[in-house]
Amino acid sequence: VLYGQADILTIYGDQSQAISIKLGVSGPGSGAEYMQEAVHDLIGNEAPEGWDLQIPKKIFVNLSLQNKILEIKEIDYERSSW
């Protein structure tokens, strides 16, 4: 599986909001076979087998939204042991 992710986070007052999107692909389009073969060549291992049995091409999309209320505490650093 090959995927990319983008995130945006905003904080305003005592709230944070985040949006995240992941896009990915499995199967031959992911380039995993090429990468595994390149690593095996690099380290001198035998060629990997089983790529004719890999999972088929699929597209993945994951959209995530989060809203959080933040707890803000003030610390008196003059009286702190820090």
Side-chain angles (χ1 to χ4, degrees):
V1 175
L2 173 68
Y3 76 91
Q5 177 174 336
D7 302 298
I8 297 174
L9 173 68
T10 60
I11 298 175
Y12 184 77
D14 66 346
Q15 291 191 26
S16 73
Q17 296 172 334
I19 185 168
S20 175
I21 186 164
K22 291 181 186 177
L23 301 172
V25 63
S26 67
S30 71
E33 180 178 10
Y34 169 78
M35 287 301 298
Q36 186 180 24
E37 288 174 353
V39 170
H40 277 245
D41 286 344
L42 182 69
I43 61 175
N45 278 1
E46 294 179 16
E49 296 181 19
W51 281 105
D52 53 333
L53 303 174
Q54 73 174 305
I55 60 176
K57 178 181 174 184
K58 292 191 181 206
I59 304 294
F60 300 92
V61 177
N62 183 348
L63 179 64
S64 170
L65 304 168
Q66 291 183 348
N67 187 42
K68 294 181 181 181
I69 297 177
L70 306 173
E71 183 178 336
I72 300 173
K73 294 183 179 181
E74 290 186 23
I75 298 174
D76 184 355
Y77 288 103
E78 291 178 7
R79 290 198 251 174
S80 169
S81 61
W82 289 25

